Amino acid sequence: MKARITRLLMGLALTVSSLVTQAAQVQVAVAANFTAPMQKIAVEFEKDTGHQALLSFGATGKLYAQIKNGAPFQVFLAADDKTPAKLEAEGDAVPGSRFTYAIGTLVLWSAKPDFVDDQGEVLKKGDFKYLAITNPKTAPYGAAAIATLTKLGLFDALQSKLVTGENVSQTYQFIFTGNAELGFIALSQIIVNGQLTSGSTWIVPADLHEPIRQDAVILAKGQDQPAAQALADYLKSEKVKTIIKSYGY
Amino acid sequence: MLSDVDLAAVWLTLKLATITTMILLIVGTPIAWWLARTGSKWKGVIGAVVALPLVLPPTVLGFYLLIALGPHGPVGQLTQFLGWGVLPFTFAGLVVASVFYSMPFVVQPLQQAFEAIGSRPLEVAATLRASPWDAFFTVVLPLAKPGFITAAILGFAHTVGEFGVVLMIGGNIPEKTRVVSVQIYDHVEALEYAEAHLLAGGMLLFSFFVLLALYSRKGAHTWK
């Protein structure tokens, strides 16, 4: 009996000590458009691995500036594929650690039901005052929107109607408040549990623009950090891929 | 050097700040006068409303302006009824937003100037048979001149420095709503740091010299 208790206690002590040595924190910079899925993934990540992911959300360009100026991030989930590549080329990321964690889907959306048809014909009719997009210079969804309009041969006709949000959330706000009748945003913004929430939508065919690749990278501060590597591996797992998909990527 | 797009943003910013300051001097003077002279129980309420932009994050102000001025908002309904359309994404919309945003920077210096004058000079003017309007223009305005200069400088400079509100209701349209601060933000976001430095450095120097002029003048001319 005594031996059994001793064994039990020893086992318990071993478990606790292994938790203490293994469980660590990882500081993660996350592109704003990936806020909701990443919050969910972080909860699952902690459940499955014991590691805790501390999340900071922001625009990719701003996060880049912070990383260049000494921010303590160990993993970076960007909204594009250019910024992680740039960080790697500049020696601020672990070489070869880059991977695509999500591919964005561009949609044309209106808060009004039946305003946007499922072929995007509404763009040709041009029966609206403002078409909202995200800044094409800084946001991949903006660049994809411009590419789509150009490919449809509508850019010149619609250029004077464009209003620009600084990020997809702001573009969503312009449309949601009715100030712009319609606009290009991310599918992930209007989907909850795999269902479109409101308004009317045209899912832009993927062949009208370059794929909106969102890449992640382990940063220099995450080198040889088990928790950082664990998060990178976790993001590639089937379980996480299913979560990401349910958010409209 | 500055590109055409940057120059357009600078020009637009100066235009916005000038128009906003002029409107604020006209609208702000009676408000400041009333706040300085009234014994009404509403004084605290109006004073607090005027001062709100001092403490509110510009994103809050911008968000509510976007909703209020939008097609479903009360102001938006009114402007549409009057046939003006809706104000967000237009230069007029930025002017309206800036008037709210910079209001305390104009009203408060004016109010202080009016309070410093007190009622005595007006009473004297009244005994000399000056009408209230006459007394205001010939007695109060000259006495309050330093307050007007401070108010104009602060209102102008604060509008030049506006960012959050413009971002929320502007829509970043070249030559209509893309002001310098938004242009700087875009340069930084696009990692165009050289261009950002040019504009940001210019803004820093501008703001410093405006304040330097303001504070040097105050030191030299108080009580004259």
Side-chain angles (χ1 to χ4, degrees), chain A residues 5-43:
Chain A
I5 293 177
T6 317
R7 233 183 298 152
L8 199 78
L9 281 176
M10 271 177 71
L12 202 70
L14 267 176
T15 321
V16 170
S17 72
S18 72
L19 272 178
V20 169
T21 50
Q22 276 182 11
Q25 289 185 334
V26 50
Q27 296 228 36
V28 195
V30 185
N33 80 56
F34 204 63
T35 303
M38 195 57 204
Q39 279 167 338
K40 167 127 186 174
I41 291 167
V43 172

Side-chain angles (χ1 to χ4, degrees), chain B residues 104-175:
Chain B
F105 291 83
V106 171
V107 168
Q108 292 190 347
L110 288 181
Q111 185 185 342
Q112 280 158 17
F114 294 153
E115 280 168 352
I117 293 168
S119 51
R120 181 94 192 144
L122 285 173
E123 286 162 13
V124 172
T127 61
L128 296 172
R129 320 196 91 189
S131 71
W133 283 105
D134 191 11
F136 182 81
F137 284 106
T138 55
V139 178
V140 175
L141 279 191
L143 283 174
K145 194 174 145 199
F148 275 97
I149 294 174
T150 304
I153 291 175
L154 282 180
F156 188 89
H158 191 246
T159 308
V160 167
E162 181 176 358
F163 172 67
V165 175
V166 176
L167 198 68
M168 296 290 272
I169 70 157
N172 201 349
I173 304 167
E175 292 172 31

Side-chain angles (χ1 to χ4, degrees), chain A residues 177 179, chain B residues 63-88 96 100:
Chain A
T177 55
N179 281 298
Chain B
F63 182 56
Y64 281 126
L65 282 171
L66 185 66
I67 292 172
L69 302 181
H72 311 304
V75 182
Q77 302 269 355
L78 180 71
T79 52
Q80 287 176 103
F81 175 75
L82 295 171
W84 300 346
V86 289
L87 288 171
V96 170
F100 280 108

Side-chain angles (χ1 to χ4, degrees), chain A residues 59-66 68-69 83 86 112 129-130 132 135 137-138 160-167 170 173-180, chain B residues 63 66-67 69-72 84-90 163 166-173 176 178 182-183 185-193:
Chain A
T60 297
K62 206 174 300 132
L63 292 171
Y64 169 86
Q66 291 174 349
K68 291 297 285 184
N69 289 289
T83 312
K86 194 169 155 67
K112 289 187 263 185
K129 192 153 180 239
Y130 294 114
N135 193 339
K137 230 168 80 178
T138 57
S160 62
K161 297 186 175 188
L162 295 182
V163 291
T164 312
E166 281 313 313
N167 51 54
Q170 220 203 331
Q173 241 171 49
F174 287 162
I175 311 165
F176 182 78
T177 55
N179 281 298
Chain B
F63 182 56
L66 185 66
I67 292 172
L69 302 181
H72 311 304
W84 300 346
V86 289
L87 288 171
F89 315 134
T90 63
F163 172 67
V166 176
L167 198 68
M168 296 290 272
I169 70 157
N172 201 349
I173 304 167
K176 270 197 217 157
R178 184 185 290 160
V182 172
Q183 183 70 3
Y185 182 87
D186 281 356
H187 281 318
V188 174
E189 280 294 302
L191 315 184
E192 297 164 351
Y193 289 178

Side-chain angles (χ1 to χ4, degrees), chain A residues 48-71:
Chain A
D48 290 346
T49 67
H51 298 307
Q52 199 187 0
L54 304 176
L55 310 177
S56 305
F57 303 100
T60 297
K62 206 174 300 132
L63 292 171
Y64 169 86
Q66 291 174 349
I67 290 162
K68 291 297 285 184
N69 289 289

